[in-house]
């Protein structure tokens, strides 16, 4: 590796790339060449740095200066000023709000300041396609240690002591899971990495695989040694092409280095790994469905017991953990269980990666210690709600989770606290909602999603979700009655209690939590025929406020049904009979004259 | 073989390891209703009608499990009938009754749990998607002529590519196991026999007995014919 | 299907592997190669891997990746993630349906576009977002869609 004075860590995560990160990179390369700085300044395309809202982003090392919203036309000035003349460019730095002074260093920015990076330790720091960079940052040192110094039982006891719990959803203690698989006697055992990340609004696994694929491989190797597995699978969504590519490349590199294969590090330990691409089924995130899919069948869950630790892939003992869980493992081995368990709450140790998305200022990926409050995540790190709107709720845990209202924002996030509030930790999606989000519509959205993704095997999930969806359609379209609410709750309980797998048994959660915290919104839809947030099409009407309308004609031009009439500079009018309520006029109006009532 | 002691509806019983709760209950003569279960086939656990309450030794709360798939455990306490169980079964039967309002068997079972009408908009299926026909065709006959296709509410039982599967031998076993008479065997036109959930498989009368339907090219050497 | 295509598929399946566990991967490769799964391809893969046709058909209809009808030259995936939903993803999908004159899952008559609603694409910072042929277009408004579609012939 060449030693340079300055390293530019340019984020090449999906968010930044679609905002032009590669164009910026090419321009940087040209400008650096033009100023003869190639020997001094190197550019590293890193995995996702997390601050997607401000992409493309770049960190200048060693000073830690953070640049954001880079564009090609700003690059010449940046290179000349900062890298030639040594004067950081203030205009490209982060500011909290207009008129506030810029924050030059990444670690001083609120978004980054509260984060504790374990699973994401290498994000934005290394080139994910180079195994040497991972190794230079303590990579595979954990594996070396266990193979030299520790017995499988010692590894398991470390993981148990660390308090690590599964990061994929249910939060089952990882060490215990490994112990079950270790105890199952068999010639052949399997290890699986569940990278079929499916919760809408959660993208931490994708980010880890794209930014630091070797951390997952190392975790799996450690797990394989601990339980005595010799073969492994990574089951990853086909919709994540970059992550698939990176993990395949990482496997090849590890094979070349002898980190995968036979007699790893000269020890009596063989392990081989294969990538299986998921073909588009949310239910394959459920472990028994995932295994069926690896075996080449429809991804339909089967009842447990037997658990995969006794009888998994092709009837062999199998241990499945998700991406984030695996990437935590090497650090626990290296830094010790005591260090890890000193972070977090009594029941939930370590950190958790959350994707903070929706109606929030700083959309992005954050890793924070367990026990942090939701308020801190949403308002300090996330920067609060944009456009001066009011916070309404935060949805955690994806379609299996629940909506948490404002009066519970000081809840300290861990598995138990979230469960108490009717939600779950899930994979860590936090979807922030403001006053413009209709909670009945949201419940309907999740049901529609799950109804579509249900495998259809068991009666409560297949038939029940369909009927719950129908009831919510009735309510959001103005046909609801109070009897519907009683039926909805009863049916939700049947589905919850009777479903075969977790997809079905957690599916009613969004409905049950919105009924618990936002019942008034359901009642407004039913009793007043009104959608308070102005979302449910059948219950809203678009009109133009003649006082506010300037007659700019913007709405008239975008209306797909030509139902807006009016002369230039005269107030316009919407013909309600022909309006299809697409909202295009509302979207383009700069004067807030188009009203939803 | 190890034996397991447990209690079902307060009665003690000792059964071999690996027995399901349903099997153990039937040994005691306790009736648990089922729709997707058949003694000859592997347990499946899809209709959920056979849910029972189980409580393990020290646990305070009981949980609902499908008795057809849940293996017995040492010291388990099982309750096969309670208000909660009846309520959940009734909830499931309301859903099935809405799916198959024309099925006599579903109507009868629903009636047992006090369900005489359904609060949902009725559809007009006969098939409850219990998978017995699919499984018997796979596990017993070995032909795998029909299977599930699509998923969720679109789930259906079909021959592949919606054309009669070459592997169907018109044995009619699927019609025998179907709990709701959704699969029918009928003589179409003069010679060929047809059956399936919604599609037709051609066949003809057996050349030997003249009574049973068979596949036209059914060979003399039965064993060689099967794909497995 | 012409013999050349069949030969190509034969090679694809060989490369993917001939165990049952390779079945879905082989089908994914065929889908990518031909943009859909024709009947002959399904029969071929069943025969080569040695599984009943019914299993291949089940998989082809169970997983969303597969299409039994030919898809258009460009595939528009509209993200249906929660972040996109609360930021107006539904309006974007509705608008696309109106522009293209097709429903979700459909293909335009000129075979130019196919439209699919997909699970969260995991780039919520760009919500609402669509992906056309693997390229992301984010922070969409109804107004800007025409111009994006113009880029694809």
């Amino acid at each position: 590796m060449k030693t340079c004075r300055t390293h530019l860590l340019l984020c090449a995560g999906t968010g930044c790339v679609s905002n032009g990160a590669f164009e910026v990179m090419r321009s940087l390369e040209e400008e650096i060449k033009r100023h003869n700085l190639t020997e001094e300044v190197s550019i590293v395309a890193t995995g996702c740095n997390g601050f997607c809202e401000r992409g493309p982003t770049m960190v200048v090392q060693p000073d830690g200066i953070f640049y954001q919203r880079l564009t090609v036309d700003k690059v010449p000035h940046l290179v000349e000023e900062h890298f030639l003349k040594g004067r950081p460019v203030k205009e490209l730095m982060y500011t909290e709000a207009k008129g506030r002074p810029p924050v030059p260093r990444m670690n001083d920015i609120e978004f980054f300041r509260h984060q504790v990076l374990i699973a994401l330790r290498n994000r934005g720091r290394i080139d994910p396609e180079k195994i040497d960079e991972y190794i230079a940052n303590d990579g595979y040192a954990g594996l070396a240690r266990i193979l030299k110094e520790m017995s499988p039982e010692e590894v398991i006891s470390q993981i148990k002591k660390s308090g690590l719990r599964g990061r994929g959803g249910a939060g089952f203690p990882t060490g215990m899971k490994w112990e079950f698989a270790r105890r199952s006697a068999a010639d052949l055992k399997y290890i699986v990495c569940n990278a079929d990340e499916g919760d809408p609004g959660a993208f931490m696994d994708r980010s880890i695989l794209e930014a630091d694929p070797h951390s997952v491989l190392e975790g799996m190797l450690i797990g394989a040694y601990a339980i005595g597995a010799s073969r492994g699978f990574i089951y990853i969504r086909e919709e994540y092409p970059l992550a698939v590519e990176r993990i395949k490349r990482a496997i090849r590199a590890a094979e070349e280095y002898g980190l995968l294969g036979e007699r790893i590090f000269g020890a009596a330990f063989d392990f081989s790994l294969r990538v299986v691409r998921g073909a588009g089924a949310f239910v394959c995130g459920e472990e028994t469905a995932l295994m069926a899919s690896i075996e080449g069948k429809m991804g339909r869950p089967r009842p447990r017991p037997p658990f995969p630790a006794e009888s998994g892939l092709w009837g062999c003992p199998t241990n499945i953990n998700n991406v984030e869980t695996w990437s935590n493992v090497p650090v626990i081995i290296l830094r010790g269980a005591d260090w890890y368990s000193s972070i977090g709450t009594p029941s939930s140790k370590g950190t958790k990666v959350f994707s903070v998305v929706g109606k929030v200022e700083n959309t992005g990926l954050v890793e924070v210690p367990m026990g942090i409050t939701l308020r801190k995540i949403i308002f300090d790190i996330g920067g609060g709600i944009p456009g001066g709107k009011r916070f309404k709720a935060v949805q955690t845990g994806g379609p299996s989770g629940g909506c948490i209202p404002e009066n519970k924002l000081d809840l300290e996030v861990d598995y138990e606290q979230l469960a108490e509030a009717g939600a779950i930790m899930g994979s860590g999606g936090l979807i922030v909602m403001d006053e413009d989000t209709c909670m009945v519509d949201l419940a309907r959205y999740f049901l529609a999603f799950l109804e579509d993704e249900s495998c259809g095997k068991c009666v409560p999930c297949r038939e029940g979700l369909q009927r719950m969806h129908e009831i919510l359609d009735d309510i959001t379209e103005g046909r609801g009655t109070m009897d519907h609410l009683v039926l909805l709750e009863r049916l939700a309980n049947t589905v919850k209690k009777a479903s075969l797998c977790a997809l079905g048994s957690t599916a009613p959660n969004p409905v049950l939590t919105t009924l618990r915290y936002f019942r008034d919104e359901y009642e407004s839809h039913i009793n007043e025929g009104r959608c308070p947030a102005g979302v449910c099409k059948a219950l809203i009407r678009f009109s133009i406020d003649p006082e506010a309308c300037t007659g700019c004609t913007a709405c008239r031009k975008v209306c797909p049904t030509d139902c807006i009439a009016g002369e230039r500079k005269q107030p316009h009018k919407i013909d309600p009979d022909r309006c299809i309520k697409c909202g295009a006029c509302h979207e383009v109006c700069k004067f807030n004259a188009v009203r939803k009532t | 073989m190890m034996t397991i002691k447990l209690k079902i509806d307060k009665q003690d019983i000792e059964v071999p390891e690996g027995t399901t709760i349903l099997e153990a209950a039937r040994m005691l003569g306790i009736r648990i209703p089922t729709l997707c279960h058949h003694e000859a086939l592997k347990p499946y656990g899809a209709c959920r009608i056979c849910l029972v309450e189980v409580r393990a030794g020290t646990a305070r709360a009981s949980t609902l499990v499908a008795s057809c798939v849940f293996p017995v455990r040492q010291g388990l306490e099982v309750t096969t009938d309670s208000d909660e169980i009846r309520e959940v079964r009734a909830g499931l039967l309301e859903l099935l009754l809405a799916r198959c309002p024309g099925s006599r068997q579903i109507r009868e079972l629903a009636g047992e749990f006090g369900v005489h009408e359904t609060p949902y908009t009725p559809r007009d299926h006969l098939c409850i998607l219990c998978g017995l026909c699919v499984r018997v065709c796979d596990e017993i006959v070995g032909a795998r002529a029909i299977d599930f296709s699509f998923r969720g509410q679109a789930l259906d039982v079909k021959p592949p590519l919606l054309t009669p599967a070459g592997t169907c031998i018109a044995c009619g076993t699927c019609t025998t196991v179907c709990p709701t008479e959704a699969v029918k065997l009928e003589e179409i036109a003069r010679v060929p026999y047809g059956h399936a959930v919604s599609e037709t498989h051609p066949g003809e009368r057996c050349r030997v007995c003249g009574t049973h339907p068979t596949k036209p090219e059914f060979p003399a050497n039965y064993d060689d014919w099967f794909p497995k | 299907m012409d013999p050349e295509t069949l030969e190509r598929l034969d090679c694809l399946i060989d490369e993917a592997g001939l165990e049952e566990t390779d079945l879905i991967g082989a089908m994914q490769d065929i889908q990518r190669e031909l943009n859909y799964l024709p009947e002959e391809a399904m029969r071929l893969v069943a025969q080569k891997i040695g599984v009943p046709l019914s299993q291949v058909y089940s998989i082809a209809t169970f997983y969303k990746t597969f299409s039994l009808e030919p898809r258009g030259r460009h595939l528009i995936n509209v993200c249906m993630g929660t972040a996109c939903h609360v930021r107006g993803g539904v309006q974007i999908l509705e608008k696309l349906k109106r522009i293209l004159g097709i429903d979700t899952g459909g293909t335009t008559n000129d075979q130019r576009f196919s439209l699919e609603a997909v699970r969260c694409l995991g780039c919520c910072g760009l919500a609402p977002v669509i992906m056309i042929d693997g390229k992301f277009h984010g922070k969409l408004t109804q107004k800007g869609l025409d111009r994006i579609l113009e880029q694809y012939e």
Side-chain angles (χ1 to χ4, degrees), chain A residues 236-245 248 275-280, chain C residues 5 8-9 12 15 23-38 41 64-73 75 131 133-134:
Chain A
I236 179 170
R237 277 179 78 180
E238 203 187 23
E239 294 96 319
Y240 285 177
L242 184 62
V244 173
E245 179 52 37
K248 281 187 171 166
V275 173
V276 174
R277 288 166 292 154
Chain C
T5 315
R8 221 165 59 233
L9 296 187
L12 270 184
E15 276 167 36
L23 175 62
I24 296 174
M27 290 168 69
Q28 282 168 311
D29 293 341
I30 296 172
Q31 168 77 40
R32 191 174 295 177
E33 179 75 18
L34 303 178
N35 249 342
Y36 79 117
L37 291 179
K64 278 266 173 85
T65 301
F66 303 116
S67 155
L68 300 180
E69 303 286 327
R71 277 194 181 136
R73 290 191 297 281
L75 175 62
M131 182 170 85
D133 300 344

Side-chain angles (χ1 to χ4, degrees), chain A residues 451 453 466-467 470 498, chain B residues 44 48 121 123 151-153:
Chain A
E451 183 193 351
E453 294 293 347
Q466 199 178 320
R467 301 306 184 165
E470 279 175 18
Chain B
Y44 190 59
R48 319 304 286 171
T121 320
R123 308 249 203 281
R151 68 183 192 204
Q153 57 166 317

Side-chain angles (χ1 to χ4, degrees), chain A residues 28 72 107 113 231 260 416 496 532 539 543 549:
Chain A
L28 275 168
V72 170
N107 293 339
R113 211 163 63 88
R231 282 189 209 166
L260 281 173
E416 280 65 31
K496 203 180 169 99
L539 304 180
S543 61
C549 178

Side-chain angles (χ1 to χ4, degrees), chain B residues 102-163:
Chain B
S103 163
R104 178 180 54 83
Q105 291 85 352
I106 296 295
R107 270 202 319 272
E108 279 174 15
L109 188 58
E112 270 186 49
F113 290 89
V115 176
H116 301 287
E117 54 187 34
T118 172
Y120 316 108
T121 320
R123 308 249 203 281
D124 59 351
H125 298 281
L126 261 185
C127 172
I128 57 167
L129 297 166
C130 67
L132 279 170
C133 54
V134 172
R135 287 179 287 140
V136 83
C137 190
D138 173 19
E139 293 173 31
I140 306 292
V141 182
R144 296 183 73 177
I146 44 173
D147 204 340
F148 287 107
S149 51
F150 299 90
R151 68 183 192 204
Q153 57 166 317
L155 188 75
D156 204 353
V157 175
K158 292 270 191 229
L161 297 165
L162 310 182
T163 50

